Amino acid sequence: MSEKIVLTGIKPTGTPHIGNYVGALKPLIEMARSNRTFMFIADLHALNIIHDAAQIRQHTYEIAALLIAMGLDLNNAVLFRQSDIVQVSQLSTMLMNVTPKGLMNRAHSYKAAMDKNMAAGLDTDAGVNMGLYTYPVLMAADILLYGTDIVPCGADQKQHVEFARDIAGYFNHIYGNVFKLPEPVIGQSTGIIPGLDGRKMSKSYDNTIPLLAPENELKKKIMRIITDSKTPDDVKDPDTSTIFQLYTHFATDDEIADFRQKLMTPGMGYGTAKTILFDKINAVLTPVRNEYERLMANPSEIDAILADGAARARAVAAQTYDRVHHAMLG
Ligand code: TRP
């Protein structure tokens, strides 16, 4: 096991799709096998968007159940709910005082909100609450509280991790060497995972394939993948085929080579190709779906795992926070 401490947070704001599974969740589960990992559900970070407690709770359970069902190694990984650790809010308050306001003005997410407002002819800060504006400070608190070395994340979160590093630097400069400086690690490219229409799979394009949908719904979605108009007798190009691209993320090397060959040989239509894809994805996801459904029907089991994770996380968080409190207030 490496000595590095890995940390990541997942926001409970939506239902995960196959793109999330392949691009983010699977690599995280893999990473947690060989690293001490803090993995939490960032419910406090959901608050600037979702003002409905029931919805946040539901998404929190969904993500926790999914990670457990995917086989997250709970010995190495500390799985918990962000809001269960009161020290994160406390540390966030402390960090506000060494964080330049100008740094927050430069945050991509805040700038995107301002750009959208300007394009719509609204006040630049319309609809922007302080939760959104100070989001990077809370995220810095998440990262710095657990002595994090590495934050695996998507490219969209890189700036936030760099801010955490900057904020740690400002703090250390004033108060001495309290925080370790974290580093973002952008997932090695799994390539673009195409959605139903061939563009990158994304909630904002409305082209996703849900990860935990019942079998018949999964099948219906897959049968709806857009293809070109080649007939069974035509030779097809696997490298521009959404069906083939998706297949590569679920099948073995031999199966992938075999499927490639089939597409490049006259005889197989897209309907058959989609059925092969469905069978493969369904075979991989069925055990995950079954375990997920079992856990969702037994929330007390999820609660117990999250409570255990919170106790382990708190032990580390309390130590860090005490050092900060002592440095700032004596
Ligand atoms: N901001 C992250 C996202 O939107 C979630 C998150 C919250 C996070 N705290 C974090 C990620 C700390 C990494 C580290 O996806």
Side-chain angles (χ1 to χ4, degrees):
M1 174 141 27
S2 103
E3 297 300 310
K4 298 266 186 225
I5 294 179
V6 174
L7 171 137
T8 194
I10 303 172
K11 236 178 357 177
T13 47
T15 306
H17 56 70
I18 279 183
N20 304 137
Y21 172 85
V22 173
L25 300 174
K26 239 171 48 164
L28 280 179
I29 301 265
E30 214 32 69
M31 199 153 189
R33 278 189 217 295
S34 49
N35 293 282
R36 174 137 173 86
T37 304
F38 290 89
M39 206 180 275
F40 60 90
I41 300 147
D43 55 352
L44 295 174
H45 273 114
L47 283 173
N48 75 78
I49 315 168
I50 307 184
H51 291 162
D52 172 359
Q55 208 182 322
I56 294 184
R57 277 189 77 77
Q58 173 67 17
H59 288 316
T60 297
Y61 276 115
E62 285 170 2
I63 292 168
L66 173 59
L67 291 169
I68 302 163
M70 284 176 69
L72 178 64
D73 179 344
L74 292 167
N75 291 318
N76 293 339
V78 180
L79 177 65
F80 62 103
R81 193 195 309 251
Q82 182 187 28
S83 63
D84 281 344
I85 312 302
V86 70
Q87 287 84 355
V88 79
S89 304
Q90 295 175 318
L91 180 57
S92 183
T93 298
M94 295 307 220
L95 294 179
M96 295 283 177
N97 303 290
V98 299
T99 303
K101 175 170 178 283
L103 192 68
M104 301 297 96
N105 290 341
R106 292 205 297 276
H108 297 319
S109 45
Y110 173 55
K111 279 186 14 190
M114 286 199 298
D115 288 348
K116 216 168 136 191
N117 281 335
M118 282 195 288
L122 299 168
D123 183 279
T124 48
D125 279 339
V128 174
N129 56 40
M130 289 302 283
L132 171 64
Y133 190 63
T134 62
Y135 188 107
V137 184
L138 179 58
M139 189 157 154
D142 285 328
I143 294 170
L144 301 178
L145 204 46
Y146 305 98
T148 306
D149 295 292
I150 288 173
V151 183
C153 60
D156 62 323
Q157 295 300 315
K158 182 165 177 264
Q159 188 198 37
H160 286 147
V161 183
E162 288 164 354
F163 280 7
R165 193 181 165 91
D166 293 343
I167 293 169
Y170 299 137
F171 187 99
N172 287 351
H173 183 70
I174 303 169
Y175 292 107
N177 222 353
V178 172
F179 293 125
K180 237 195 246 176
L181 302 185
E183 257 177 71
V185 173
I186 310 303
Q188 346 83 326
S189 175
T190 34
I192 288 184
I193 296 137
L196 295 177
D197 57 1
R199 292 186 293 173
K200 177 183 184 320
M201 191 181 294
S202 162
K203 212 164 69 172
S204 47
Y205 292 150
D206 195 19
N207 65 356
T208 61
I209 303 176
L211 184 58
L212 295 158
E215 204 171 296
N216 55 352
E217 209 176 295
L218 178 65
K219 180 152 200 180
K220 244 195 264 166
K221 283 276 184 190
I222 288 176
M223 295 322 263
R224 238 185 270 153
I225 292 173
I226 294 171
T227 64
D228 57 32
S229 53
K230 299 221 164 96
T231 69
D233 294 334
D234 293 324
V235 167
K236 296 160 199 76
D237 177 11
D239 296 318
T240 58
S241 161
T242 301
I243 303 171
F244 180 76
Q245 295 309 319
L246 289 173
Y247 190 79
T248 62
H249 294 295
F250 290 87
T252 64
D253 289 349
D254 284 351
E255 290 167 335
I256 294 167
D258 188 49
F259 196 42
R260 175 182 281 280
Q261 203 48 49
K262 277 196 182 124
L263 285 162
M264 289 168 48
T265 313
M268 179 175 71
Y270 282 127
T272 308
K274 287 176 184 177
T275 305
I276 292 173
L277 174 64
F278 164 73
D279 287 341
K280 183 84 257 161
I281 295 186
N282 192 44
V284 172
L285 293 185
T286 294
V288 178
R289 189 194 301 122
N290 289 346
E291 176 62 0
Y292 171 84
E293 277 167 7
R294 191 190 68 75
L295 286 161
M296 288 301 278
N298 294 282
S300 60
E301 219 174 291
I302 304 174
D303 286 333
I305 290 171
L306 292 179
D308 177 62
R312 290 160 71 196
R314 204 174 289 122
V316 179
Q319 276 186 19
T320 308
Y321 184 74
D322 283 352
R323 299 216 320 269
V324 171
H325 192 100
H326 183 73
M328 293 183 91
L329 292 166

